[in-house]
Each structure stands twice: as structure tokens, then as C-alpha cells.
Amino acid sequence: MSSQYAEIDGVITYIHRHLYEPLPLSRLANYAGYSPFHFTRIFKQRIGIPPLYYVSSLRLQKAKDLLLRTNQSVRDISLEIGQQSQGTFTTRFVERVGVTPSEFRHSRLQAEEHLRSLQSLGGWKEWQSEATRIGTIEGTVGTEVPFQGVTLVGLFAKPIPEGLPLYGMLLHNMGDFRFTNVKPGSYYLMATSVSWGMKALDFLLPYTTLRARLREPLVVTSYSPVPFQEMILHPPEFGDPPILISLPLLMNHFLNRTMYASK
């Protein structure tokens, strides 16, 4: 690892230690010993997203944690992570997690039911419509460690798993995936896994789930095919951006599609 990246890792540790304090770009850049412009460039190379976006993502992850592990009110949690307006906090939470803070707080039982429902389905293969090379993104997901469960694969608008994916699917264990009729544009391909033995808290707060992400966007055009993608799920690595999207929400979308298709 380059010395610059080691310095960025030091900043990440600093961010975690001072997450509840004001962390303007100037403070983080000064800590690293760089100009704000140079610091932002190196940080984005190392982590994949700008520093202040990383900070806001960690704070939202902390809010998820507080919602499930404490009895603090939504307003108190919004203040604790630096949001003066509960309305603004709720709006951003919905945009990036997919449900309201209150819905997320009360989703544990539902999350366990979704995982049990998926396990009871047994094997499945969720192919979309017949593929043409143009407008199709396909590949395979493997893993570095033994795994039995469900893998969630999505194409996201931003280089962090937040908000509902623009295109998403669930795999039984791992294997091949395919998205068809993908509109021209840039997409970030990411995946994470939930093993059958996990409790609801383990994937509502997915600190330990296996994950994989492509650092560079996939560009879909109307004239050129996208190369086949190979992804390897791995344990969380230092500095990984948090997985903000509610994984049970994605499970529920899949289950609803499956029930609709079986009618």
C-alpha cells in the first residue's frame, strides 16, 4: 500500500473516533496534511467515494445501529448524528436505506420471516427476459469462503449500496446473474450475502456480511456489449463504505416478484 493510502487509512480511523463532531473537509485534509483538493482525490481513489459522503454514510449507519439497539427517539438520533431537522433526517434515511426510521426500527421480525421464506423456497433461478448482448449485464459471483444462503446483486446509481438498486436480483447461494434491458447509463455493480444461519440483526446491520463491488462503473450503451463480470465475495475490509440499503426490503421485493410470477 502506498504511503498516501496509509495516510488515508489514518484519516478513516480518525473519522470513526470523531464521528459525532463536526468534520468539515478542511479538518480532514489538515489531519492528512494535504490540500482539500488533493486529499479528496486520494481519498476517492482509496475508498471509492468522496470523504464527506463517506462521513455522512457512516453517520447514517450509526443511526441504523441506534434505532435497533437503543430506545432513543428518532429526533434524538437525528440530533446525535448531526441532523438538526428530523424531517431532513427522515428524508435522507428513506432515500438511502429504503424505509423510514420507524419502519426500520420495527422490521426485525419481518426480516427473519423474509429469510425463512427464502430458505423454504429452495433453489431458484431468477432470469429476466431473453437476453440480447446490447443492454445486458451478466456475470458470476463466487466467494473466498464456504457459504450457504442468499446473495443480493444490484446495479446502483452511486458507488455505494444505498437506495433501491436500479436493477437487482437474488441468487440462491452464488453463481451466474443476468440483467437484461438495462437502459444506457453508468451503473455500479455490487453484491452482498446473507447466510441462512444469520439472525435479523446480522443483516439489518450488515457489518460482517460478505460483499463485493466494482470500483469503476459499468457503462451501458446502445451500440456496444458490456464484458462478462466476475465478482468474488469477501469479508469486510478496512474502510469499506457501509451497506445502507435495507437488505430485508430487497428480500421482500424478490418474494413479491416470485409470488406474482407464480400466479
Side-chain angles (χ1 to χ4, degrees):
M1 181 184 295
S2 72
S3 62
Q4 286 183 327
Y5 283 179
E7 288 162 358
I8 295 302
D9 286 353
V11 173
I12 291 169
T13 300
Y14 181 82
I15 289 171
H16 280 273
R17 287 177 181 165
H18 300 273
L19 193 58
Y20 291 122
E21 302 171 18
L23 292 172
L25 183 60
S26 57
R27 178 175 174 178
L28 299 178
N30 286 340
Y31 184 82
Y34 295 117
S35 70
F37 175 81
H38 190 54
F39 168 71
T40 299
R41 183 177 62 82
I42 300 170
F43 191 98
K44 197 170 180 181
Q45 286 175 352
R46 171 73 177 94
I47 304 301
I49 58 177
L52 295 187
Y53 202 78
Y54 183 76
V55 171
S56 71
S57 300
L58 290 182
R59 286 175 172 158
L60 204 53
Q61 177 178 251
K62 185 61 180 177
K64 290 171 64 179
D65 199 296
L66 293 171
L67 284 165
L68 294 183
R69 297 186 194 270
T70 76
N71 292 320
Q72 289 180 250
S73 68
V74 173
R75 172 162 177 75
D76 286 347
I77 291 172
S78 68
L79 290 171
E80 189 158 342
I81 68 163
Q83 290 286 342
Q84 298 302 315
S85 163
Q86 182 179 334
T88 300
F89 168 68
T90 298
T91 298
R92 290 181 179 173
F93 196 95
V94 171
E95 286 174 352
R96 303 181 72 181
V97 180
V99 294
T100 68
S102 179
E103 288 169 336
F104 184 79
R105 166 166 270 170
H106 298 102
S107 63
R108 192 178 307 196
L109 182 61
Q110 203 172 37
E112 291 179 349
E113 291 174 352
H114 291 337
L115 187 59
R116 284 198 298 269
S117 295
L118 288 170
Q119 189 170 11
S120 68
L121 283 177
W124 69 80
K125 199 160 191 174
E126 190 194 7
W127 291 125
Q128 296 184 6
S129 58
E130 193 63 30
T132 59
R133 293 194 68 199
I134 304 301
T136 294
I137 293 177
E138 55 186 340
T140 188
V141 180
T143 182
E144 296 176 346
V145 295
F147 171 75
Q148 293 288 322
V150 58
T151 298
L152 304 95
V153 186
L155 297 174
F156 291 85
K158 295 179 179 178
I160 179 172
E162 64 171 37
L164 287 171
L166 300 172
Y167 301 85
M169 66 185 304
L170 268 63
L171 304 179
H172 186 267
N173 294 328
M174 292 157 294
D176 296 338
F177 63 87
R178 179 195 295 157
F179 299 109
T180 60
N181 299 317
V182 179
K183 295 179 180 179
S186 294
Y187 303 91
Y188 291 89
L189 178 62
M190 286 172 266
T192 192
S193 64
V194 177
S195 64
W196 297 134
M198 280 187 165
K199 303 297 184 184
L201 205 63
D202 298 328
F203 57 94
L204 282 165
L205 302 173
Y207 294 117
T208 61
T209 58
L210 302 176
R211 72 273 319 269
R213 62 179 175 131
L214 297 187
R215 298 293 292 269
E216 298 299 322
L218 297 175
V219 179
V220 176
T221 68
S222 58
Y223 53 82
S224 179
V226 177
F228 189 85
Q229 303 297 316
E230 295 186 17
M231 304 183 76
I232 301 295
L233 293 166
H234 57 78
E237 296 174 347
F238 180 78
D240 278 348
I243 296 170
L244 293 180
I245 179 63
S246 167
L247 300 184
L249 179 65
L250 299 184
M251 294 176 183
N252 187 45
H253 278 221
F254 170 81
L255 289 166
N256 287 339
R257 284 205 305 266
T258 303
M259 287 189 291
Y260 178 80
S262 65
K263 290 181 179 180

